[in-house]
Amino acid sequence: MAGASGQSLRDLVEAFDQRWAADASTTTAEELFSVVGVLDADGALRRGLTDPSRQPEQRRGIAATVLEGRVYPVVRELVAYAARLRWSAERDFADALEHLGAVAAAAVAARRGGQEAVTEVAEDLLRFVAVVQEDPRIQSALTDARAGEEARRRLAERICPVRSEEARLLIDQAAAHPRGQAPDAVAQRFADALVHLMRRSIAKVTDSHPLDESRRQRLARALSRVYGRELTLDVVVDPQILGGLKVQVGDEVIDGSMTARLADLDRTVTAS
């Protein structure tokens, strides 16, 4: 997604991380996918929830009213929050909720088994992608309009055994509800989302000397407070930075190394 929708998706995922991830379950992901199905089928509702002429609180109110008693409170709150945000196109809203379903599944896996569990889910998704892409007969069966949702689910289960409930849920969604796309493309997108989340949960720390365990723990706690989520440290020793620390979380880099400071000083002196 680009433009307003891209920023809204980032805001939605960040809000989920901070407010709802701790209470997420596979049911959260299932119900988000269910809401996506409702939006795809109901153009009037989709337009009402994305109409830029309505105030954000009006859109939030519509979502909250429509979903009252139909989904768990956490899902109702998530969809209502998303409705307050700006979306460049109607479909972007449903796409964002689908993405959030994958994020919710990843949060459940992370709570169960940390980064290793999330990695397993991503690997199972990628194995499904590979199996589908290698066999034209499977591609045809999964995209056959005559095949029902349950038949496509059973086929996905047969061709790709998985190691977790979260992986099964995401593959079933890709196979049974691809929303006009190729099932392997949907599964690939889910896998990409999980990989991106894993990168956001790892802080790559570069230091000129090895960190002792006490300092490592203090740094991990400090960075987790700054970013509002638990981070795992990946520490790299590089004597060339001379001193200080360089920290990278996702695409954000905080360079407090002595080398960077000297380079800044050199640029300042040269400019003057």
Side-chain angles (χ1 to χ4, degrees):
M1 291 184 195
S5 290
Q7 184 58 55
S8 291
L9 178 60
R10 289 188 289 273
D11 291 345
L12 179 60
V13 172
E14 190 69 30
F16 173 81
D17 284 344
Q18 294 178 2
R19 297 168 56 179
W20 293 289
D23 298 321
S25 66
T26 52
T27 301
T28 305
E30 288 174 348
E31 290 196 341
L32 282 167
F33 291 146
S34 176
V35 172
V36 170
V38 171
L39 290 172
D40 285 344
D42 192 333
L45 176 60
R46 196 168 59 245
R47 286 187 292 274
L49 294 175
T50 57
D51 184 355
S53 69
R54 297 180 186 270
Q55 293 299 312
E57 282 304 309
Q58 287 181 299
R59 299 195 299 270
R60 185 204 65 78
I62 293 172
T65 299
V66 169
L67 296 178
E68 178 71 41
R70 299 178 64 180
V71 295
Y72 278 100
V74 63
V75 175
R76 178 171 173 260
E77 291 172 12
L78 277 166
V79 178
Y81 181 90
R84 295 183 70 256
L85 303 173
R86 289 183 58 211
W87 304 99
S88 304
E90 290 178 14
R91 182 180 171 107
D92 288 351
F93 182 64
D95 287 350
L97 295 180
E98 182 185 58
H99 179 91
L100 196 62
V103 171
V108 176
R111 198 166 61 245
R112 171 175 56 79
Q115 291 294 312
E116 183 177 346
V118 180
T119 299
E120 284 187 353
V121 175
E123 289 173 347
D124 285 345
L125 283 163
L126 292 174
R127 189 164 63 253
F128 172 78
V129 171
V131 170
V132 173
Q133 292 180 347
E134 288 171 3
D135 193 329
R137 294 172 301 174
I138 293 176
Q139 295 177 31
S140 178
L142 286 173
T143 55
D144 187 343
R146 296 168 298 177
E149 295 173 7
E150 189 56 35
R152 293 196 294 271
R153 282 197 189 94
R154 287 198 301 269
L155 175 59
E157 186 172 354
R158 189 166 69 250
I159 65 175
C160 187
V162 298
R163 291 166 284 181
S164 68
E165 182 183 1
E166 299 87 21
R168 182 80 278 147
L169 169 64
L170 295 178
I171 290 175
D172 283 354
Q173 176 68 16
H177 303 285
R179 306 177 61 226
Q181 303 172 72
D184 54 297
V186 177
Q188 179 68 60
R189 196 167 64 247
F190 287 161
D192 291 344
L194 267 60
V195 170
H196 179 70
L197 286 172
M198 286 188 286
R199 285 202 301 265
R200 292 178 67 245
S201 298
I202 296 174
K204 183 176 180 181
V205 178
T206 306
D207 197 354
S208 57
H209 298 88
L211 293 176
D212 61 40
E213 188 58 30
S214 175
R215 191 180 178 205
R216 178 191 287 263
Q217 290 180 5
R218 290 198 304 273
L219 181 58
R221 287 195 297 269
L223 289 172
S224 295
R225 283 197 301 271
V226 169
Y227 285 92
R229 58 184 182 273
E230 185 175 349
L231 296 176
T232 300
L233 298 192
D234 176 19
V235 180
V236 176
V237 176
D238 181 4
Q240 294 186 357
I241 71 170
L242 302 179
L245 289 173
K246 180 179 178 181
V247 178
Q248 180 172 354
V249 179
D251 297 328
E252 182 176 356
V253 177
I254 304 172
D255 196 342
S257 66
M258 187 62 70
T259 301
R261 294 176 191 175
L262 290 173
D264 287 343
L265 178 61
D266 180 63
R267 283 192 293 271
T268 300
V269 171
T270 301
S272 60

